[in-house]
Amino acid sequence: MLKVLSHPKRLAIVDLLGKTKGKDSQMSVTDIYQALDLPQAIASQHLITLKDRGVLKSSKVGTKIYYSLAVPQLLKVIDTLEDYSGRL
C-alpha cells in the first residue's frame, strides 16, 4: 500500500479525499481532477490503481463515479510518516 502511495499524485488524491472533504465523504472523478488540476485520463488511471490496491472504493450514481477512502485510518499513517519525514 505504501508503494502505491509513493507516487505524489496518488498521495494528493488520498489527501484530498481524506482531509479536504472529511474521512467519510466521496468525490466524483470530475471534482478530483479539477481540484488537482490533472488531465482527466491521468486522474482516472491513478484512481483505478488506488481502487485496485484497496486504498479507495467507488460507487456509481447515474453516469458519475464517486470515490472515497476504503481505509480512513490510512490518513493517520500518512500523517505520522509526514511528521517523521520532517525530522530527517
Side-chain angles (χ1 to χ4, degrees):
M1 192 174 283
L2 291 176
K3 185 176 180 180
V4 170
L5 293 173
S6 67
H7 192 285
K9 296 298 180 188
R10 290 194 286 261
L11 188 57
I13 290 169
V14 170
D15 191 54
L16 177 67
L17 286 169
K19 294 180 180 173
T20 304
K21 297 287 188 174
K23 67 179 183 179
D24 295 324
S25 70
Q26 54 186 4
M27 293 179 75
S28 70
V29 175
T30 303
D31 292 337
I32 293 168
Y33 77 75
Q34 288 177 345
L36 297 176
D37 195 28
L38 290 173
Q40 185 271 330
I42 299 296
S44 291
Q45 289 175 350
H46 288 304
L47 289 165
I48 290 167
T49 299
L50 289 165
K51 183 182 174 197
D52 287 348
R53 299 300 192 277
V55 176
L56 301 181
K57 58 185 176 181
S58 67
S59 61
K60 190 171 184 178
V61 179
T63 59
K64 289 192 172 194
I65 298 175
Y66 291 86
Y67 286 91
S68 60
L69 295 176
V71 185
Q73 300 84 353
L74 184 60
L75 293 174
K76 291 179 184 178
V77 173
I78 292 170
D79 286 341
T80 301
L81 291 172
E82 287 174 347
D83 288 347
Y84 181 75
S85 68
R87 296 183 196 152
L88 296 177

